[in-house]
């Protein structure tokens, strides 16, 4: 028994908090931001590194610092990281890739393809476009005060997909899209405003190359409707309605009455029709189930006759929004709706008659929204 007690005491001494000391020296690359300097013709690589300033049981406080490296290419800049104070950096092992619009316009895959074969690279980290990569953005990470900005930024980027705003694209998907002629992408754009990050639309890509054409927030929303992402899980806070939980809130105006609606479920289907000696007609049929409510001092149910009118008005409004969005993506020759993939997989006879990149901008693509309001006033 005495030996057992002694053994337990020794184990308690050996399993103390001594292992917290190395954690203070552990550095994590939270952000790898890449810009292109038009004047010097050089790549600017910014690493934002986070380390623990206090490491203890059940608590941790972190500090972030940025390091800028400039060279003629990304891989050379990465190599220079071995000699920097915040280094060494092995490959680009990061939680988030930020690409400036100018870098995205200069063959980004050519510069970044080495990541596919680089050990220790987190190739599944998301890629985001930063529309304003000035010094002010990175100065916020160099502060003597304790900061949690890197976590806030990473959480914000993750939330864009979680809440159905826009899908996140990983670095691996971005690089591999170069080899797939029908794999066009849209990358979220974030903007640095008053020390805060905001979603600022999306940049359209064609086979990993920037089209330099942007979708605004409303057009991105319309794009997500057209894609039909199933159940939308975004939550609305601060709205006193029993219909709000777990649904995306949209507001509008109809017959001098303000209203909001919350998406319960949304699905889309691509329908193709061949026309003799002409390009095919494409219809994107979107079925949307929603809860709707009038806004005002008193919330009340919707009368049946008013519901029918609202369904038609809302369907027309969404069709108009979607038509403008489709026009924009066709101008960019970016098939982010995946129509080419659909034709190749399910309509091979039609597909064989097309020269897709040449014909796609001229194909007639029409949205057809069918809105169904689930809640009506009980009579």
């Amino acid at each position: 028994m005495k030996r057992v007690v002694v053994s337990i005491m020794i184990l308690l001494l050996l399993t103390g908090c001594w292992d917290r000391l190395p954690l203070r020296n552990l550095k994590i690359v939270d952000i790898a931001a890449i810009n292109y300097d038009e004047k010097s013709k050089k790549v600017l690589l910014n690493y934002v590194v986070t380390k623990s300033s206090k490491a203890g049981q059940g608590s941790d406080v972190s500090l972030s610092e940025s390091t800028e490296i400039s060279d003629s290419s990304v891989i050379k800049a990465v190599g220079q990281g071995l000699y920097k104070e915040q280094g060494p950096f092995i490959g680009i092992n990061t939680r988030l890739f930020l690409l400036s619009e100018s870098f995205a316009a200069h063959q980004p895959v050519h510069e970044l393809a080495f990541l596919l074969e680089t050990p220790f690279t987190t190739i599944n980290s998301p890629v985001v476009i930063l529309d304003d990569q000035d010094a002010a953005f990175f100065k916020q990470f160099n502060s003597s005060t304790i900061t949690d900005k890197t976590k806030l930024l990473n959480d914000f980027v993750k939330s864009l997909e979680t809440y159905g705003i826009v899908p996140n694209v990983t670095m691996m998907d971005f690089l591999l899209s170069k080899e797939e002629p029908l794999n066009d992408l849209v990358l979220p754009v974030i903007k640095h405003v008053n020390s805060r990050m905001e979603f600022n639309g999306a940049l359209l890509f064609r086979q990993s190359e920037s089209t330099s054409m942007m979708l605004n927030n409303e057009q991105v929303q319309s794009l997500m409707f057209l894609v039909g992402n199933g159940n939308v899980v975004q939550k609305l806070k601060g709205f006193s309605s029993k219909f709000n939980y777990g649904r995306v809130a949209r507001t509008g105006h109809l017959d001098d009455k303000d209203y909001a609606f919350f998406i319960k479920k949304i699905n889309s289907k691509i329908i193709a029709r061949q026309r003799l000696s002409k390009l095919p007609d494409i219809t994107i049929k979107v079925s949307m189930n929603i809860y709707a409510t009038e806004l005002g001092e008193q919330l009340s149910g919707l009368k049946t006759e008013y519901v029918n009118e609202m369904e038609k008005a809302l369907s027309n409004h969404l069709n108009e929004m979607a038509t403008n969005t489709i026009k924009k993506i066709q101008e960019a020759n970016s098939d982010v709706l995946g129509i080419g993939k659909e034709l190749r997989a399910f309509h091979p006879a039609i597909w064989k008659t097309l020269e897709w990149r040449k014909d796609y901008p001229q194909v007639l693509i029409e949205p057809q929204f069918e809105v169904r309001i689930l809640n009506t006033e009980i009579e």
Side-chain angles (χ1 to χ4, degrees):
M1 183 65 182
K2 186 176 181 180
R3 290 181 179 179
V4 173
V5 173
V6 172
S7 298
I8 293 174
M9 293 298 294
I10 292 174
L11 287 174
L12 290 174
L13 291 173
L14 292 177
T15 57
C17 296
W18 299 103
D19 58 342
R20 73 179 179 174
L21 296 178
L23 291 177
R24 293 174 182 168
N25 300 322
L26 181 63
K27 298 176 180 179
I28 301 172
V29 180
D30 267 302
I31 304 169
I34 309 170
N35 190 14
Y36 182 78
D37 189 341
E38 296 285 354
K39 293 182 179 180
S40 66
K41 306 300 180 184
K42 287 188 176 182
V43 169
L44 302 178
L45 175 62
N46 267 284
Y47 284 110
V48 177
V49 179
T50 300
K51 67 176 182 178
S52 296
S53 62
K54 295 180 181 179
Q57 185 175 1
S59 65
D60 181 32
V61 180
S62 60
L63 287 171
S64 296
E65 297 176 292
S66 69
T67 298
E68 182 178 279
I69 308 170
S70 175
D71 215 313
S72 59
S73 67
V74 174
I75 195 167
K76 288 183 178 180
V78 170
Q80 277 199 46
L82 293 170
Y83 313 108
K84 300 296 181 181
E85 181 184 0
Q86 297 301 321
F89 307 116
I90 303 174
I92 300 186
N93 189 4
T94 179
R95 288 203 295 176
L96 176 65
F97 292 94
L98 284 181
L99 308 183
S100 72
E101 289 184 67
S102 61
F103 178 77
H106 284 81
Q107 297 183 315
V109 170
H110 176 75
E111 285 279 351
L112 298 171
F114 73 94
L115 295 175
L116 289 172
E117 299 181 4
T118 303
F120 312 113
T121 297
T122 47
I123 201 69
N124 285 317
S125 296
V127 183
V128 175
I129 303 297
L130 179 65
D131 83 332
D132 183 25
Q133 193 164 333
D134 59 1
F137 174 77
F138 293 101
K139 283 180 180 178
Q140 66 182 310
F141 298 102
N142 293 328
S143 174
S144 59
T145 59
I146 296 172
T147 178
D148 205 18
K149 287 185 177 293
T150 55
K151 183 179 184 302
L152 291 174
L153 177 56
N154 280 283
D155 288 347
F156 173 66
V157 171
K158 183 179 179 181
S159 73
L160 295 178
E161 183 169 53
T162 302
Y163 294 150
I165 307 300
V166 66
N168 282 324
V169 177
T170 67
M171 177 57 77
M172 182 173 67
D173 290 336
F174 179 66
L175 296 177
L176 292 179
S177 67
K178 180 71 175 179
E179 306 302 323
E180 173 51 62
L182 297 179
N183 199 7
D184 296 341
L185 301 171
V186 58
L187 293 183
V189 177
I190 59 176
K191 186 176 183 179
H192 182 224
V193 181
N194 298 326
S195 300
R196 290 180 174 272
M197 302 309 299
E198 295 180 1
F199 177 66
N200 196 41
L203 183 60
L204 292 165
F205 283 77
R206 178 176 57 252
Q207 232 181 316
S208 80
E209 293 187 5
S210 172
T211 66
S212 299
M213 296 189 72
M214 296 270 298
L215 298 179
N216 60 34
N217 289 4
E218 186 179 75
Q219 290 168 336
V220 173
Q221 182 186 97
S222 182
L223 176 66
M224 294 299 289
F225 289 165
L226 289 167
V227 171
N229 61 340
N231 293 317
V232 182
V233 296
Q234 182 176 353
K235 299 175 183 177
L236 175 70
K237 296 181 179 180
F239 189 86
S240 57
S241 169
K242 63 181 179 180
F243 306 122
N244 69 335
Y245 184 77
R247 297 173 179 90
V248 179
R250 319 290 177 190
T251 59
H253 196 74
L254 178 67
D255 292 342
D256 296 325
K257 295 180 180 179
D258 293 319
Y259 64 92
F261 65 93
F262 308 88
I263 298 173
K264 170 64 175 177
K265 191 172 183 180
I266 181 170
N267 289 293
S268 69
K269 182 180 181 180
I270 296 175
I271 301 172
R273 292 182 299 274
Q274 181 68 72
R275 295 190 299 169
L276 187 63
S277 301
K278 293 182 180 180
L279 296 176
D281 286 345
I282 305 296
T283 300
I284 304 178
K285 189 173 181 178
V286 182
S287 300
M288 181 183 291
N289 292 342
I290 67 171
Y291 291 107
T293 183
E294 293 179 14
L295 303 180
E297 295 180 0
Q298 182 177 359
L299 296 175
S300 59
L302 301 174
K303 296 183 181 298
T304 303
E305 60 273 15
Y306 183 63
V307 165
N308 295 332
E309 182 183 354
M310 181 181 281
E311 287 177 340
K312 292 177 182 178
L314 190 53
S315 296
N316 291 336
H317 174 66
L318 294 174
N319 281 330
E320 183 179 349
M321 284 178 53
T323 298
N324 293 332
T325 302
I326 292 170
K327 180 181 178 181
K328 188 73 172 285
I329 64 178
Q330 283 189 281
E331 287 178 1
N333 203 352
S334 177
D335 183 17
V336 291
L337 292 172
I339 294 172
K341 292 180 181 179
E342 182 81 10
L343 295 177
R344 185 176 64 176
F346 301 105
H347 304 276
I350 296 178
W351 178 251
K352 290 178 182 178
T353 66
L354 300 172
E355 188 178 341
W356 188 240
R357 284 302 177 191
K358 178 184 176 182
D359 295 334
Y360 167 66
Q362 281 76 47
V363 171
L364 179 62
I365 305 173
E366 293 183 319
Q368 188 180 98
F369 277 80
E370 293 184 1
V371 176
R372 181 188 176 200
I373 296 176
L374 301 178
N375 59 304
T376 57
E377 188 177 66
I378 299 176
E379 298 178 356

